[in-house]
Amino acid sequence: MAMKFNHAQKVATAHAITDLLAADGVDTREDLHAWLDHQANRAALRTVKGVGPKSIDYIGNLVGRSHVAVDVHLRAFAGEAGVPNLPYDQLRAVYEEAAVLLGHDKGGLEHAVWRHRSKAT
């Protein structure tokens, strides 16, 4: 079993993403990596119920892109660091800039913060 969902909407979202990718001829990890380069494709993903910017960034990470997928753990960490409650894109930019300043990969920094915070909860 590749995925285990206990919620009907998550199953519907997974099916809708699969249908969209299949319709666009996305068959491999490499196809998806390249497909995500196009803003129109990212916008098409956003039309799927249940898919937001975090989901798109997370999918990008799964196919070898380096994104910061801001979730509750990254928001909590930022709050503890004194970073105000920012909109998704702005908070992602803060993390990306921090990664550059620290000389880290964006996705690597995101994962380290996520791991740290997920153990704290």
Side-chain angles (χ1 to χ4, degrees):
M1 175 186 310
M3 294 184 283
K4 182 179 179 183
F5 294 127
N6 294 322
H7 191 275
Q9 182 54 52
K10 289 183 180 182
V11 173
T13 299
H15 280 286
I17 291 169
T18 302
D19 291 344
L20 173 65
L21 296 176
D24 279 358
V26 178
D27 293 321
T28 66
R29 179 180 187 270
E30 291 77 20
D31 290 346
L32 182 53
H33 188 281
W35 188 84
L36 287 170
D37 279 336
H38 304 282
Q39 196 59 37
N41 294 336
R42 297 170 71 85
L45 269 176
R46 289 290 307 270
T47 67
V48 174
K49 184 176 181 180
V51 175
K54 177 188 147 235
S55 299
I56 295 169
D57 289 336
Y58 184 75
I59 291 168
N61 284 338
L62 292 175
V63 296
R65 300 175 86 74
S66 184
H67 293 290
V68 174
V70 177
D71 69 355
V72 295
H73 296 304
L74 274 75
R75 283 197 176 279
F77 185 84
E80 290 172 2
V83 176
N85 190 16
L86 298 173
Y88 182 91
D89 290 342
Q90 289 178 2
L91 187 53
R92 180 180 61 207
V94 167
Y95 273 105
E96 289 173 348
E97 182 65 21
V100 169
L101 291 172
L102 295 170
H104 292 290
D105 173 75
K106 294 178 286 189
L109 177 64
E110 179 240 21
H111 185 68
V113 170
W114 187 90
R115 251 190 3 248
H116 170 73
R117 279 298 303 158
S118 67
K119 290 178 183 175
T121 58

